[in-house]
PDB file of all heavy atoms in Angstrom:
ATOM      1  N   HIS A   3       1.945   4.879   1.341  1.00 36.00           N
ATOM      2  CA  HIS A   3       2.103   5.385   2.692  1.00 36.00           C
ATOM      3  C   HIS A   3       2.851   6.698   2.702  1.00 36.00           C
ATOM      4  O   HIS A   3       3.542   7.055   1.691  1.00 36.00           O
ATOM      5  CB  HIS A   3       2.795   4.366   3.587  1.00 36.00           C
ATOM      6  CG  HIS A   3       4.069   3.830   2.988  1.00 36.00           C
ATOM      7  ND1 HIS A   3       4.095   2.808   2.107  1.00 36.00           N
ATOM      8  CD2 HIS A   3       5.353   4.240   3.156  1.00 36.00           C
ATOM      9  CE1 HIS A   3       5.337   2.535   1.802  1.00 36.00           C
ATOM     10  NE2 HIS A   3       6.116   3.415   2.356  1.00 36.00           N
ATOM     11  N   GLY A   4       2.779   7.382   3.757  1.00 35.00           N
ATOM     12  CA  GLY A   4       3.473   8.664   3.825  1.00 35.00           C
ATOM     13  C   GLY A   4       4.803   8.575   4.518  1.00 35.00           C
ATOM     14  O   GLY A   4       5.468   7.522   4.446  1.00 35.00           O
ATOM     15  N   SER A   5       5.206   9.588   5.219  1.00 35.00           N
ATOM     16  CA  SER A   5       6.476   9.615   5.935  1.00 35.00           C
ATOM     17  C   SER A   5       6.446   8.513   7.027  1.00 35.00           C
ATOM     18  O   SER A   5       5.470   8.313   7.744  1.00 35.00           O
ATOM     19  CB  SER A   5       6.686  10.939   6.539  1.00 35.00           C
ATOM     20  OG  SER A   5       6.726  11.927   5.541  1.00 35.00           O
ATOM     21  N   SER A   6       7.528   7.814   7.197  1.00 32.00           N
ATOM     22  CA  SER A   6       7.619   6.752   8.169  1.00 32.00           C
ATOM     23  C   SER A   6       7.637   7.327   9.557  1.00 32.00           C
ATOM     24  O   SER A   6       8.169   8.418   9.837  1.00 32.00           O
ATOM     25  CB  SER A   6       8.901   5.935   7.963  1.00 32.00           C
ATOM     26  OG  SER A   6       8.960   5.462   6.635  1.00 32.00           O
ATOM     27  N   LYS A   7       7.074   6.552  10.546  1.00 34.00           N
ATOM     28  CA  LYS A   7       7.174   6.974  11.909  1.00 34.00           C
ATOM     29  C   LYS A   7       8.565   6.646  12.451  1.00 34.00           C
ATOM     30  O   LYS A   7       9.223   5.745  11.955  1.00 34.00           O
ATOM     31  CB  LYS A   7       6.034   6.294  12.725  1.00 34.00           C
ATOM     32  CG  LYS A   7       4.666   6.659  12.264  1.00 34.00           C
ATOM     33  CD  LYS A   7       3.600   5.934  13.090  1.00 34.00           C
ATOM     34  CE  LYS A   7       2.191   6.342  12.678  1.00 34.00           C
ATOM     35  NZ  LYS A   7       1.176   5.614  13.490  1.00 34.00           N
ATOM     36  N   GLU A   8       8.889   7.334  13.535  1.00 36.00           N
ATOM     37  CA  GLU A   8      10.197   7.039  14.120  1.00 36.00           C
ATOM     38  C   GLU A   8      10.194   5.629  14.718  1.00 36.00           C
ATOM     39  O   GLU A   8       9.249   5.192  15.335  1.00 36.00           O
ATOM     40  CB  GLU A   8      10.498   8.086  15.172  1.00 36.00           C
ATOM     41  CG  GLU A   8      10.757   9.469  14.597  1.00 36.00           C
ATOM     42  CD  GLU A   8      11.271  10.431  15.629  1.00 36.00           C
ATOM     43  OE1 GLU A   8      11.361  10.020  16.802  1.00 36.00           O
ATOM     44  OE2 GLU A   8      11.514  11.626  15.298  1.00 36.00           O
ATOM     45  N   LEU A   9      11.334   4.971  14.540  1.00 32.00           N
ATOM     46  CA  LEU A   9      11.475   3.654  15.102  1.00 32.00           C
ATOM     47  C   LEU A   9      12.096   3.806  16.498  1.00 32.00           C
ATOM     48  O   LEU A   9      12.952   4.618  16.719  1.00 32.00           O
ATOM     49  CB  LEU A   9      12.371   2.753  14.223  1.00 32.00           C
ATOM     50  CG  LEU A   9      11.846   2.584  12.779  1.00 32.00           C
ATOM     51  CD1 LEU A   9      12.872   1.737  12.098  1.00 32.00           C
ATOM     52  CD2 LEU A   9      10.519   1.889  12.792  1.00 32.00           C
ATOM     53  N   PRO A  10      11.665   2.895  17.414  1.00 34.00           N
ATOM     54  CA  PRO A  10      12.239   3.015  18.748  1.00 34.00           C
ATOM     55  C   PRO A  10      13.682   2.520  18.728  1.00 34.00           C
ATOM     56  O   PRO A  10      14.099   1.744  17.887  1.00 34.00           O
ATOM     57  CB  PRO A  10      11.368   2.018  19.547  1.00 34.00           C
ATOM     58  CG  PRO A  10      10.804   1.101  18.543  1.00 34.00           C
ATOM     59  CD  PRO A  10      10.634   1.894  17.303  1.00 34.00           C
ATOM     60  N   ALA A  11      14.489   3.047  19.665  1.00 36.00           N
ATOM     61  CA  ALA A  11      15.852   2.588  19.757  1.00 36.00           C
ATOM     62  C   ALA A  11      15.953   1.145  20.172  1.00 36.00           C
ATOM     63  O   ALA A  11      15.171   0.682  20.972  1.00 36.00           O
ATOM     64  CB  ALA A  11      16.591   3.495  20.839  1.00 36.00           C
ATOM     65  N   THR A  12      16.901   0.436  19.489  1.00 35.00           N
ATOM     66  CA  THR A  12      17.026  -0.970  19.777  1.00 35.00           C
ATOM     67  C   THR A  12      18.368  -1.336  20.404  1.00 35.00           C
ATOM     68  O   THR A  12      18.595  -2.484  20.759  1.00 35.00           O
ATOM     69  CB  THR A  12      16.897  -1.782  18.449  1.00 35.00           C
ATOM     70  OG1 THR A  12      17.877  -1.262  17.543  1.00 35.00           O
ATOM     71  CG2 THR A  12      15.498  -1.572  17.841  1.00 35.00           C
ATOM     72  N   GLU A  13      19.229  -0.383  20.514  1.00 38.00           N
ATOM     73  CA  GLU A  13      20.580  -0.669  21.066  1.00 38.00           C
ATOM     74  C   GLU A  13      20.626  -0.207  22.469  1.00 38.00           C
ATOM     75  O   GLU A  13      20.141   0.842  22.857  1.00 38.00           O
ATOM     76  CB  GLU A  13      21.623   0.004  20.210  1.00 38.00           C
ATOM     77  CG  GLU A  13      21.669  -0.476  18.734  1.00 38.00           C
ATOM     78  CD  GLU A  13      22.828   0.126  18.016  1.00 38.00           C
ATOM     79  OE1 GLU A  13      23.854   0.378  18.647  1.00 38.00           O
ATOM     80  OE2 GLU A  13      22.682   0.322  16.830  1.00 38.00           O
ATOM     81  N   SER A  14      21.289  -0.973  23.295  1.00 39.00           N
ATOM     82  CA  SER A  14      21.400  -0.632  24.702  1.00 39.00           C
ATOM     83  C   SER A  14      22.534   0.401  24.845  1.00 39.00           C
ATOM     84  O   SER A  14      23.435   0.546  24.078  1.00 39.00           O
ATOM     85  CB  SER A  14      21.740  -1.896  25.501  1.00 39.00           C
ATOM     86  OG  SER A  14      22.949  -2.471  25.015  1.00 39.00           O
ATOM     87  N   THR A  15      22.453   1.117  25.955  1.00 40.00           N
ATOM     88  CA  THR A  15      23.470   2.162  26.291  1.00 40.00           C
ATOM     89  C   THR A  15      24.679   1.518  26.873  1.00 40.00           C
ATOM     90  O   THR A  15      24.591   0.690  27.783  1.00 40.00           O
ATOM     91  CB  THR A  15      22.870   3.181  27.272  1.00 40.00           C
ATOM     92  OG1 THR A  15      21.646   3.677  26.725  1.00 40.00           O
ATOM     93  CG2 THR A  15      23.809   4.316  27.485  1.00 40.00           C
ATOM     94  N   ASN A  16      25.908   1.892  26.349  1.00 42.00           N
ATOM     95  CA  ASN A  16      27.105   1.419  26.992  1.00 42.00           C
ATOM     96  C   ASN A  16      27.709   2.551  27.795  1.00 42.00           C
ATOM     97  O   ASN A  16      27.226   3.651  27.821  1.00 42.00           O
ATOM     98  CB  ASN A  16      28.087   0.833  25.921  1.00 42.00           C
ATOM     99  CG  ASN A  16      28.498   1.916  24.915  1.00 42.00           C
ATOM    100  OD1 ASN A  16      28.313   3.115  25.147  1.00 42.00           O
ATOM    101  ND2 ASN A  16      29.043   1.444  23.818  1.00 42.00           N
ATOM    102  N   SER A  17      28.805   2.258  28.420  1.00 40.00           N
ATOM    103  CA  SER A  17      29.455   3.177  29.297  1.00 40.00           C
ATOM    104  C   SER A  17      29.940   4.450  28.605  1.00 40.00           C
ATOM    105  O   SER A  17      29.970   5.533  29.161  1.00 40.00           O
ATOM    106  CB  SER A  17      30.628   2.539  30.034  1.00 40.00           C
ATOM    107  OG  SER A  17      31.568   2.031  29.072  1.00 40.00           O
ATOM    108  N   GLU A  18      30.236   4.328  27.314  1.00 41.00           N
ATOM    109  CA  GLU A  18      30.753   5.479  26.571  1.00 41.00           C
ATOM    110  C   GLU A  18      29.632   6.291  25.977  1.00 41.00           C
ATOM    111  O   GLU A  18      29.887   7.402  25.469  1.00 41.00           O
ATOM    112  CB  GLU A  18      31.704   5.032  25.441  1.00 41.00           C
ATOM    113  CG  GLU A  18      32.941   4.321  26.019  1.00 41.00           C
ATOM    114  CD  GLU A  18      33.838   3.865  24.904  1.00 41.00           C
ATOM    115  OE1 GLU A  18      33.603   4.208  23.752  1.00 41.00           O
ATOM    116  OE2 GLU A  18      34.793   3.117  25.194  1.00 41.00           O
ATOM    117  N   GLY A  19      28.440   5.739  25.917  1.00 42.00           N
ATOM    118  CA  GLY A  19      27.312   6.508  25.375  1.00 42.00           C
ATOM    119  C   GLY A  19      27.256   6.518  23.868  1.00 42.00           C
ATOM    120  O   GLY A  19      26.472   7.114  23.249  1.00 42.00           O
ATOM    121  N   GLY A  20      28.237   5.747  23.217  1.00 44.00           N
ATOM    122  CA  GLY A  20      28.283   5.756  21.741  1.00 44.00           C
ATOM    123  C   GLY A  20      27.024   5.142  21.111  1.00 44.00           C
ATOM    124  O   GLY A  20      26.476   5.665  20.194  1.00 44.00           O
ATOM    125  N   SER A  21      26.586   3.992  21.710  1.00 44.00           N
ATOM    126  CA  SER A  21      25.387   3.315  21.160  1.00 44.00           C
ATOM    127  C   SER A  21      24.184   4.188  21.308  1.00 44.00           C
ATOM    128  O   SER A  21      23.273   4.205  20.468  1.00 44.00           O
ATOM    129  CB  SER A  21      25.204   1.988  21.841  1.00 44.00           C
ATOM    130  OG  SER A  21      26.272   1.131  21.523  1.00 44.00           O
ATOM    131  N   THR A  22      24.076   4.884  22.421  1.00 48.00           N
ATOM    132  CA  THR A  22      22.949   5.745  22.645  1.00 48.00           C
ATOM    133  C   THR A  22      22.848   6.875  21.586  1.00 48.00           C
ATOM    134  O   THR A  22      21.806   7.104  21.011  1.00 48.00           O
ATOM    135  CB  THR A  22      23.049   6.390  24.050  1.00 48.00           C
ATOM    136  OG1 THR A  22      23.113   5.356  25.028  1.00 48.00           O
ATOM    137  CG2 THR A  22      21.794   7.241  24.334  1.00 48.00           C
ATOM    138  N   ARG A  23      24.040   7.475  21.309  1.00 43.00           N
ATOM    139  CA  ARG A  23      24.014   8.522  20.261  1.00 43.00           C
ATOM    140  C   ARG A  23      23.665   7.981  18.937  1.00 43.00           C
ATOM    141  O   ARG A  23      22.902   8.559  18.166  1.00 43.00           O
ATOM    142  CB  ARG A  23      25.415   9.177  20.227  1.00 43.00           C
ATOM    143  CG  ARG A  23      25.690  10.104  21.409  1.00 43.00           C
ATOM    144  CD  ARG A  23      26.878  11.063  21.064  1.00 43.00           C
ATOM    145  NE  ARG A  23      28.066  10.337  20.637  1.00 43.00           N
ATOM    146  CZ  ARG A  23      28.967   9.903  21.507  1.00 43.00           C
ATOM    147  NH1 ARG A  23      28.858  10.092  22.810  1.00 43.00           N
ATOM    148  NH2 ARG A  23      30.072   9.256  21.018  1.00 43.00           N
ATOM    149  N   PHE A  24      24.176   6.732  18.624  1.00 42.00           N
ATOM    150  CA  PHE A  24      23.944   6.202  17.353  1.00 42.00           C
ATOM    151  C   PHE A  24      22.444   5.771  17.200  1.00 42.00           C
ATOM    152  O   PHE A  24      21.824   5.921  16.148  1.00 42.00           O
ATOM    153  CB  PHE A  24      24.813   4.973  17.118  1.00 42.00           C
ATOM    154  CG  PHE A  24      24.769   4.374  15.718  1.00 42.00           C
ATOM    155  CD1 PHE A  24      25.070   5.209  14.639  1.00 42.00           C
ATOM    156  CD2 PHE A  24      24.421   3.086  15.506  1.00 42.00           C
ATOM    157  CE1 PHE A  24      25.017   4.693  13.361  1.00 42.00           C
ATOM    158  CE2 PHE A  24      24.382   2.595  14.236  1.00 42.00           C
ATOM    159  CZ  PHE A  24      24.647   3.392  13.153  1.00 42.00           C
ATOM    160  N   SER A  25      21.866   5.295  18.345  1.00 47.00           N
ATOM    161  CA  SER A  25      20.459   4.962  18.325  1.00 47.00           C
ATOM    162  C   SER A  25      19.601   6.204  18.087  1.00 47.00           C
ATOM    163  O   SER A  25      18.625   6.172  17.353  1.00 47.00           O
ATOM    164  CB  SER A  25      20.053   4.357  19.669  1.00 47.00           C
ATOM    165  OG  SER A  25      20.772   3.125  19.818  1.00 47.00           O
ATOM    166  N   ARG A  26      19.983   7.311  18.712  1.00 42.00           N
ATOM    167  CA  ARG A  26      19.246   8.553  18.514  1.00 42.00           C
ATOM    168  C   ARG A  26      19.323   8.984  17.051  1.00 42.00           C
ATOM    169  O   ARG A  26      18.382   9.508  16.492  1.00 42.00           O
ATOM    170  CB  ARG A  26      19.859   9.664  19.393  1.00 42.00           C
ATOM    171  CG  ARG A  26      19.479   9.498  20.854  1.00 42.00           C
ATOM    172  CD  ARG A  26      19.568  10.869  21.549  1.00 42.00           C
ATOM    173  NE  ARG A  26      20.923  11.485  21.442  1.00 42.00           N
ATOM    174  CZ  ARG A  26      21.921  11.264  22.356  1.00 42.00           C
ATOM    175  NH1 ARG A  26      21.666  10.482  23.384  1.00 42.00           N
ATOM    176  NH2 ARG A  26      23.072  11.844  22.133  1.00 42.00           N
ATOM    177  N   MET A  27      20.521   8.817  16.446  1.00 38.00           N
ATOM    178  CA  MET A  27      20.677   9.133  15.058  1.00 38.00           C
ATOM    179  C   MET A  27      19.834   8.253  14.153  1.00 38.00           C
ATOM    180  O   MET A  27      19.189   8.702  13.201  1.00 38.00           O
ATOM    181  CB  MET A  27      22.158   9.052  14.636  1.00 38.00           C
ATOM    182  CG  MET A  27      22.383   9.538  13.142  1.00 38.00           C
ATOM    183  SD  MET A  27      24.101   9.364  12.684  1.00 38.00           S
ATOM    184  CE  MET A  27      24.223   7.587  12.580  1.00 38.00           C
ATOM    185  N   LYS A  28      19.738   6.956  14.469  1.00 39.00           N
ATOM    186  CA  LYS A  28      18.919   6.051  13.714  1.00 39.00           C
ATOM    187  C   LYS A  28      17.418   6.431  13.806  1.00 39.00           C
ATOM    188  O   LYS A  28      16.737   6.347  12.805  1.00 39.00           O
ATOM    189  CB  LYS A  28      19.110   4.587  14.229  1.00 39.00           C
ATOM    190  CG  LYS A  28      20.439   3.993  13.820  1.00 39.00           C
ATOM    191  CD  LYS A  28      20.663   2.702  14.517  1.00 39.00           C
ATOM    192  CE  LYS A  28      19.780   1.589  14.013  1.00 39.00           C
ATOM    193  NZ  LYS A  28      20.085   0.295  14.623  1.00 39.00           N
ATOM    194  N   GLN A  29      17.042   6.888  15.009  1.00 42.00           N
ATOM    195  CA  GLN A  29      15.652   7.341  15.109  1.00 42.00           C
ATOM    196  C   GLN A  29      15.381   8.545  14.252  1.00 42.00           C
ATOM    197  O   GLN A  29      14.408   8.649  13.542  1.00 42.00           O
ATOM    198  CB  GLN A  29      15.386   7.726  16.557  1.00 42.00           C
ATOM    199  CG  GLN A  29      15.294   6.482  17.492  1.00 42.00           C
ATOM    200  CD  GLN A  29      14.938   6.863  18.909  1.00 42.00           C
ATOM    201  OE1 GLN A  29      14.189   7.779  19.150  1.00 42.00           O
ATOM    202  NE2 GLN A  29      15.533   6.195  19.874  1.00 42.00           N
ATOM    203  N   LYS A  30      16.336   9.456  14.210  1.00 37.00           N
ATOM    204  CA  LYS A  30      16.209  10.682  13.383  1.00 37.00           C
ATOM    205  C   LYS A  30      16.176  10.334  11.898  1.00 37.00           C
ATOM    206  O   LYS A  30      15.450  10.932  11.139  1.00 37.00           O
ATOM    207  CB  LYS A  30      17.321  11.646  13.654  1.00 37.00           C
ATOM    208  CG  LYS A  30      17.233  12.352  15.007  1.00 37.00           C
ATOM    209  CD  LYS A  30      18.286  13.439  15.082  1.00 37.00           C
ATOM    210  CE  LYS A  30      18.270  14.138  16.386  1.00 37.00           C
ATOM    211  NZ  LYS A  30      19.302  15.220  16.519  1.00 37.00           N
ATOM    212  N   LEU A  31      16.985   9.394  11.503  1.00 36.00           N
ATOM    213  CA  LEU A  31      17.068   8.986  10.115  1.00 36.00           C
ATOM    214  C   LEU A  31      16.016   7.984   9.658  1.00 36.00           C
ATOM    215  O   LEU A  31      15.880   7.693   8.516  1.00 36.00           O
ATOM    216  CB  LEU A  31      18.460   8.368   9.781  1.00 36.00           C
ATOM    217  CG  LEU A  31      19.682   9.272   9.874  1.00 36.00           C
ATOM    218  CD1 LEU A  31      20.900   8.504   9.677  1.00 36.00           C
ATOM    219  CD2 LEU A  31      19.538  10.365   8.798  1.00 36.00           C
ATOM    220  N   HIS A  32      15.282   7.394  10.667  1.00 36.00           N
ATOM    221  CA  HIS A  32      14.289   6.341  10.358  1.00 36.00           C
ATOM    222  C   HIS A  32      14.993   5.194   9.653  1.00 36.00           C
ATOM    223  O   HIS A  32      14.578   4.777   8.568  1.00 36.00           O
ATOM    224  CB  HIS A  32      13.132   6.885   9.486  1.00 36.00           C
ATOM    225  CG  HIS A  32      12.597   8.141   9.973  1.00 36.00           C
ATOM    226  ND1 HIS A  32      11.709   8.183  11.052  1.00 36.00           N
ATOM    227  CD2 HIS A  32      12.694   9.432   9.569  1.00 36.00           C
ATOM    228  CE1 HIS A  32      11.353   9.451  11.290  1.00 36.00           C
ATOM    229  NE2 HIS A  32      11.926  10.205  10.423  1.00 36.00           N
ATOM    230  N   LEU A  33      16.090   4.769  10.215  1.00 33.00           N
ATOM    231  CA  LEU A  33      16.923   3.721   9.550  1.00 33.00           C
ATOM    232  C   LEU A  33      16.153   2.436   9.528  1.00 33.00           C
ATOM    233  O   LEU A  33      15.609   1.967  10.561  1.00 33.00           O
ATOM    234  CB  LEU A  33      18.221   3.542  10.381  1.00 33.00           C
ATOM    235  CG  LEU A  33      19.274   2.633   9.787  1.00 33.00           C
ATOM    236  CD1 LEU A  33      19.760   3.166   8.456  1.00 33.00           C
ATOM    237  CD2 LEU A  33      20.442   2.495  10.725  1.00 33.00           C
TER     238      LEU A  33
END
Side-chain angles (χ1 to χ4, degrees):
H3 50 276
S5 302
S6 305
K7 296 180 180 179
E8 291 188 358
L9 299 178
T12 57
E13 297 186 32
S14 58
T15 306
N16 62 17
S17 57
E18 296 178 11
S21 295
T22 302
R23 287 198 304 273
F24 189 55
S25 298
R26 286 201 303 269
M27 185 180 71
K28 287 171 70 177
Q29 289 181 37
K30 288 185 178 182
L31 291 174
H32 311 284
L33 187 61

